[in-house]
Amino acid sequence: MENSDSFRRARIHTVNHRHSRQARPGADRRSRQRPALCRPDALPTNVADLQQMVMALQHENARLKRLLFGRRSERIPPDDPAQGLLFGRIDPAGPPEEPPPAERSPEDEEPARRRRNARHRGRRPLPAHLMRCVHDIHPPAEERICPSCGNAKTIFAADVTEELEMIPAKFFVNRYVRHKYACRCCSGSVSQGPLPPRPLERGIPGPGVLADVVAGKYAEHLPLYRLQERYRRAGIDLSLSTFCDWVDHVAGLTAPIVRAMRTMVLASRKVHTDDTPITVLDPGRWPVHSRRGYMWVYVSEWLDVVFDFTNSHSRDGPAAFLKEYRGYLQADAFSGYDGIYAGREIYEVACWAHARRKFYDTLVHYPAEAKRVVAMIAGLYAVESRAQALGVPGERLLAWRRRFSRTRLARLRGYLDELSPQVLPKSPLGRAISYTLKNWKALNRYTEAAFLSIDNNLSERQIKQMVIGRKNWMFAGSENGARNAAILFSLVVSCKLCGVDPFAYFRDILTRLPHHPADRIHELVPRHWQTHLAGRTSPPPPAAA
């Protein structure tokens, strides 16, 4: 999964463009023609249809402008009149409702923020575990003599200033000298100590180097050619294919761990899932030497993250992965999941963040209606935020949701039913209402169990790790490279989610894997490694000769 340099990318783009021009003679001439939709005879004559078309185009234009030039956050500005609805009684005409203790006005939040800033004590001290190099600084010799009496001055206090400094990473060579023993009398019975288990037999990298390459690419999102340049600065010249072979070998070694994590995901009571496209190079395709694949992420309730690569966006990928799963599946409203829910003990849990986003995108054209719906959805999130702040346990969280969330959900459903006949079905607001009502049962399902979440943001945050890396290395070099990326991203993202350093994790498991029992492979899953094996470090490297 690698782009070697900008020259190679430019060459691929040029070749693909030339082939596409050759395959489509007259493409430039046709591209100058007006699209069929722009011809007057192709437009509807009904005024209502024209108005709906204009509104849809304006909505799409505003959404694209916000994606290109606006902020990505979907937070309503504090000075917005609808902001006050987020924490108060939503419907003034409706019956009074007892709000959760969580709901405070923005005026209550501002003094707390000022008090928190007033308690700021300055920058935090540097970590105590870092090595300290002490530099004693004394005044010049002539200033250490008292000018009044001529006696020598003595030290009575000192000011300490700490500065953070670093030494560049250094490479070293493990030299294993295997001494041979033989009988002096008969010159036979030769004995020699065996080599310790190594992650790559007959190879030069040790576990630390392999861990550095994997963590650099999949945790720090560095393409391999940048890692190659970093190694060159240290005087180590390695080919790009060598780095690719190392990544492929580590993926093969760690694949059993990911298979164990997949078993744990399927044993979870709930699974969060999402997907994102990825470009895969395919020299056999013509004229474009690439195709689109998809990465699917699955997150268990114990925060085990498993990525899975498929060649298409059909339901076959998740259907095969979840073939033996029984439980709650939280995802977006992708139609490919419908066949998975039908006839199986898999219950759909929808995402309120997706529903809210559809109304947020209509704020420009329907400010009053959209703001009111967004405010009602914010009330649902206020219940969850307050419960988390108070540390409401699982057995009480379900009662908490039934008491506060279901009331808000009923009022939101009533308003949507009232609003639905007043808007055009194919308008942006009509589509948002239709989406919410169509998935209403799945959107309410999080109130049926305490371990369920109100949205699917957990899986979206994990798949974002792969998206950030994709922006750097741009494409997978082959289908095998994409599958290797799925394996290594599963481990790296699980490490980050569990608070484990990916480099320390890979360095340790690559030392253990050659001799670790296969029936105890579950011990090397990141969350189990953190609990049971993180303290039992591998033996230190031998001292230099």
Side-chain angles (χ1 to χ4, degrees):
M1 178 187 286
E2 192 50 49
N3 53 328
S4 58
D5 50 27
S6 58
F7 175 78
R8 178 184 175 187
R9 293 195 299 269
R11 182 176 181 274
I12 291 175
H13 175 75
T14 303
V15 171
N16 292 346
H17 180 67
R18 182 173 67 248
H19 286 184
S20 62
R21 290 281 300 277
Q22 294 174 355
R24 297 182 295 112
D28 293 341
R29 183 175 64 255
R30 288 198 301 267
S31 64
R32 290 192 295 267
Q33 297 177 355
R34 292 185 301 173
L37 185 61
C38 295
R39 296 201 309 268
D41 56 348
L43 295 175
T45 57
N46 188 358
V47 176
D49 293 341
L50 288 173
Q51 291 177 343
Q52 182 174 339
M53 180 182 294
V54 171
M55 292 178 61
L57 291 175
Q58 289 178 343
H59 167 72
E60 190 67 19
N61 186 36
R63 189 179 70 87
L64 292 176
K65 281 185 176 180
R66 183 174 65 85
L67 291 176
L68 289 175
F69 309 111
R71 60 180 184 179
R72 294 299 180 90
S73 173
E74 298 176 357
R75 184 174 299 176
I76 298 179
D79 55 350
D80 196 297
Q83 183 72 10
L85 297 175
L86 301 183
F87 300 94
R89 187 161 57 88
I90 295 176
D91 188 1
E97 174 185 324
E98 179 186 357
E103 303 183 5
R104 296 183 296 179
S105 66
E107 291 76 11
D108 296 334
E109 296 289 342
E110 189 62 28
R113 189 179 300 110
R114 287 198 296 267
R115 287 194 299 269
R116 183 168 60 253
N117 294 337
R119 294 195 298 267
H120 186 62
R121 304 295 182 182
R123 69 168 62 98
R124 292 178 294 180
L126 296 175
H129 69 274
L130 296 179
M131 178 183 66
R132 257 66 176 180
C133 297
V134 180
H135 303 273
D136 290 320
I137 302 176
H138 300 278
E142 59 272 14
E143 295 185 9
R144 285 182 277 177
I145 303 298
C146 181
S148 302
C149 60
N151 293 324
K153 297 180 181 180
T154 59
I155 299 175
F156 74 96
D159 292 332
V160 178
T161 302
E162 291 193 337
E163 176 185 69
L164 184 62
E165 186 56 288
M166 70 166 292
I167 301 174
K170 294 184 178 181
F171 294 88
F172 64 93
V173 178
N174 282 328
R175 174 176 292 181
Y176 299 100
V177 182
R178 303 166 62 196
H179 297 282
K180 298 181 179 180
Y181 287 77
C183 179
R184 182 183 295 273
C185 298
C186 59
S187 300
S189 184
V190 178
S191 300
Q192 186 181 30
L195 278 172
R198 304 172 63 203
L200 183 57
E201 295 293 339
R202 300 181 181 179
I204 62 173
V209 171
L210 294 176
D212 178 65
V213 172
V214 172
K217 180 169 184 180
Y218 297 100
E220 301 167 7
H221 315 295
L222 295 176
L224 290 183
Y225 76 89
R226 296 184 192 173
L227 289 171
Q228 183 187 29
E229 294 173 358
R230 192 175 73 182
Y231 277 58
R232 282 175 178 171
R233 289 199 302 269
I236 303 174
D237 192 3
L238 298 170
S239 66
L240 192 61
S241 62
T242 300
F243 285 93
C244 295
D245 292 341
W246 290 355
V247 171
D248 181 74
H249 185 76
V250 174
L253 282 177
T254 55
I257 303 178
V258 178
R259 286 196 291 267
M261 293 170 59
R262 175 177 177 173
T263 303
M264 296 176 182
V265 169
L266 297 179
S268 176
R269 293 177 297 179
K270 69 168 182 175
V271 172
H272 293 259
T273 183
D274 200 3
D275 65 274
T276 188
I278 178 175
T279 301
V280 181
L281 293 186
D282 188 356
R285 290 176 62 91
W286 188 88
V288 180
H289 301 286
S290 65
R291 54 187 172 84
R292 171 171 288 192
Y294 286 86
M295 282 285 188
W296 306 76
V297 65
Y298 303 91
V299 187
S300 72
E301 62 177 313
W302 308 295
L303 304 183
D304 298 310
V305 183
V306 176
F307 283 79
D308 184 46
F309 171 78
T310 61
N311 288 309
S312 67
H313 198 225
S314 65
R315 73 176 184 183
D316 296 340
F321 189 95
L322 301 168
K323 182 178 180 180
E324 301 177 359
Y325 177 67
R326 300 294 182 268
Y328 292 90
L329 181 64
Q330 188 150 19
D332 54 22
F334 171 51
S335 59
Y337 295 120
D338 295 342
I340 299 177
Y341 302 132
R344 298 173 59 180
E345 296 180 5
I346 298 181
Y347 305 100
E348 179 183 6
V349 185
C351 174
W352 271 107
H354 282 79
R356 181 189 184 276
R357 186 174 300 121
K358 293 185 178 299
F359 287 100
Y360 183 88
D361 291 339
T362 65
L363 283 172
V364 177
H365 299 94
Y366 306 90
E369 297 86 351
K371 286 177 182 177
R372 186 173 184 183
V373 175
V374 170
M376 289 182 172
I377 297 175
L380 300 176
Y381 277 90
V383 176
E384 301 297 312
S385 300
R386 185 58 177 173
Q388 184 178 7
L390 295 177
V392 178
E395 58 272 12
R396 290 183 52 199
L397 180 59
L398 186 57
W400 180 282
R401 287 174 174 173
R402 288 175 176 173
R403 179 183 178 186
F404 299 113
S405 298
R406 288 189 174 180
T407 305
R408 284 165 162 75
L409 287 167
R411 299 179 64 190
L412 175 57
R413 177 59 187 264
Y415 180 67
L416 293 179
D417 290 337
E418 175 187 348
L419 188 62
S420 180
Q422 303 175 15
V423 297
L424 295 173
K426 294 186 178 180
S427 64
L429 182 60
R431 293 179 185 273
I433 296 174
S434 176
Y435 173 89
T436 305
L437 295 180
K438 179 181 178 181
N439 299 281
W440 186 255
K441 184 177 180 180
L443 287 169
N444 282 256
R445 188 153 278 146
Y446 82 98
T447 62
E448 298 178 3
F451 57 84
L452 296 178
S453 303
I454 189 174
D455 54 38
N456 195 35
N457 288 346
L458 175 62
S459 65
E460 293 190 1
R461 287 192 298 267
Q462 310 321 313
I463 210 166
K464 184 180 180 181
Q465 302 293 324
M466 204 282 299
V467 175
I468 295 174
R470 185 185 60 195
K471 291 182 178 179
N472 288 273
W473 35 257
M474 297 180 61
F475 53 78
S478 64
E479 182 176 336
N480 182 62
R483 299 192 185 280
N484 289 341
I487 293 172
L488 296 175
F489 266 121
S490 300
L491 296 173
V492 168
V493 175
S494 296
C495 285
K496 290 185 176 182
L497 201 56
C498 296
V500 174
D501 178 17
F503 172 81
Y505 171 77
F506 276 96
R507 187 182 187 279
D508 185 70
I509 66 168
L510 289 176
T511 306
R512 300 179 186 273
L513 275 172
H515 55 83
H516 194 82
D519 58 345
R520 292 168 49 194
I521 198 68
H522 62 276
E523 295 179 354
L524 301 184
V525 171
R527 61 184 174 94
H528 290 168
W529 178 88
Q530 181 187 31
T531 305
H532 302 292
L533 299 177
R536 293 186 279 168
T537 57
S538 304

